Amino acid sequence: MNLVNLFSAVEVLKAGGVVAIPTETVYGLGGWVASPEGLQKIFSTKERPFFDPLIVHIPDIETAKTFTTNWTPIHEALACAAWPGPLTLIADKTDAVDPLITSGLASVGLRCPDHPLTLELLKKVGGVAAPSANKFGKTSPTTATHVFEEFGDAVPVLDGGACKVGIESTVAGVKGNVVEIYRPGFFTAKMLKDILLKKGISAEVIYAESPVAPGQLKHHYMPKIPLVIVPEDFNWKNDSHKVGNALGKTFTHPALWDQPRSPELAARSLYESLRRFDLEGHDVIITKRLSS
């Protein structure tokens, strides 16, 4: 595995390379925001289309403000409460933000990750654009080993251990007095609304669709083998034919993902479980829909 330390990671980024960086959500494939070569390399390494925007990771709120022209009181309230953490905020970009990062859009996604090693890295370089460190559309990595399984030694990895959240950040934008969630993640609409109410801000928080957020295609985060959600009374011996009929294929080596009832624990183990089931040679993943 091509592991690098913090000093070497900074050198690689400033030389126009990419580095897999740890965050609390998933490992990101980072390129320095000031390096067009590094940004290009993110897309070529991931085999990512240029229409899918990147998130800029920054060390603090003050740095975030240097990338945007409309940092609103709602942005400030959410960032003060959620950063460092798994919340990406969309804001109008400055002219200094490379169009490669934003896919030519007028806005940019900004996030301060909750990982001490990457925060130190960001303090040294200012900003790193980073989608998840996997081939485009595939399951995100939550350990350094996952990144190695995806890219081999072609991508240097700053190993920060296993990700403690395990799923992508919530992506939200602000339109007037409305917060729009474009990509669901760790923070729910209720959680964001509660944050704002505690700050004395009464704002509507809704789920919406927008091209300003990454990860919106149907095959994003897709495991290599099918995952099927079944009722709690499902029994493979008696009901396997239902899965086969639904997908038009016979399955012989199922894996049961006994997901934790805690959403936090389920999120933390999701991607690791999907990858492990594929490596173990299963041909379908079954998980039961849990009653509330």
Side-chain angles (χ1 to χ4, degrees):
M1 193 182 306
N2 185 7
L3 299 179
V4 293
N5 59 25
L6 184 62
F7 177 79
S8 296
V10 170
E11 284 193 324
V12 171
L13 290 171
K14 290 193 172 182
V18 293
V19 177
I21 58 174
T23 77
E24 80 283 22
T25 58
V26 301
Y27 273 72
L29 185 67
W32 189 29
V33 292
S35 171
E37 181 183 0
L39 298 175
Q40 287 274 2
K41 196 166 185 179
I42 292 172
F43 288 93
S44 62
T45 302
K46 272 185 67 80
E47 300 173 2
R48 180 186 181 96
F50 288 104
F51 63 73
D52 204 26
L54 307 175
I55 292 172
V56 173
H57 294 67
I58 38 79
D60 49 45
I61 293 175
E62 291 310 307
T63 305
K65 292 177 181 178
T66 67
F67 288 93
T68 176
T69 60
N70 73 326
W71 190 256
T72 70
I74 291 180
H75 286 96
E76 183 75 10
L78 291 174
C80 284
W83 285 1
L87 177 65
T88 295
L89 295 173
I90 304 293
D92 291 346
K93 75 178 187 69
T94 65
D95 291 339
V97 178
D98 195 306
L100 271 176
I101 294 172
T102 65
S103 299
L105 298 170
S107 59
V108 62
L110 300 166
R111 183 167 103 79
C112 179
D114 188 12
H115 194 289
L117 193 57
T118 291
L119 284 175
E120 283 301 312
L121 174 73
L122 294 172
K123 288 174 184 176
K124 295 179 182 300
V125 299
V128 170
S132 55
N134 53 275
K135 293 291 186 180
F136 180 71
K138 302 305 180 184
T139 306
S140 302
T142 56
T143 68
T145 298
H146 293 165
V147 179
F148 176 74
E149 290 170 353
E150 200 83 11
F151 298 111
D153 287 331
V155 172
V157 182
L158 185 63
D159 188 357
C163 301
K164 64 182 182 181
V165 171
I167 58 171
E168 276 72 15
S169 63
T170 300
V171 177
V174 180
K175 290 188 176 179
N177 204 42
V178 178
V179 176
E180 296 184 339
I181 294 178
Y182 306 127
R183 184 180 74 182
F186 178 85
F187 282 99
T188 64
K190 182 180 184 306
M191 291 166 72
L192 296 186
K193 189 173 182 66
D194 288 346
I195 286 172
L196 293 172
L197 285 174
K198 288 179 181 178
K199 299 284 187 178
I201 299 174
S202 179
E204 188 177 3
V205 183
I206 63 174
Y207 290 93
E209 294 184 1
S210 173
V212 301
Q216 300 300 293
L217 300 182
K218 289 183 177 180
H219 65 271
H220 264 112
Y221 321 121
M222 182 175 65
K224 293 182 179 179
I225 55 178
L227 184 150
V228 182
I229 302 173
V230 298
E232 280 197 276
D233 61 355
F234 179 90
N235 178 279
W236 178 260
K237 184 177 180 180
N238 299 327
D239 301 324
S240 61
H241 66 281
K242 297 178 182 178
V243 176
N245 291 341
L247 298 182
K249 182 178 179 181
T250 300
F251 299 98
T252 59
H253 196 193
L256 173 63
W257 182 44
D258 188 14
Q259 58 175 304
R261 286 191 174 270
S262 162
E264 291 80 12
L265 293 178
R268 192 178 302 162
S269 64
L270 174 61
Y271 289 149
E272 186 279 330
S273 298
L274 298 184
R275 287 175 169 270
R276 174 166 47 83
F277 292 144
D278 176 60
L279 290 174
E280 290 173 351
H282 297 283
D283 55 3
V284 65
I285 303 167
I286 302 297
T287 189
K288 295 185 176 183
R289 184 183 300 277
L290 302 180
S291 57
S292 57

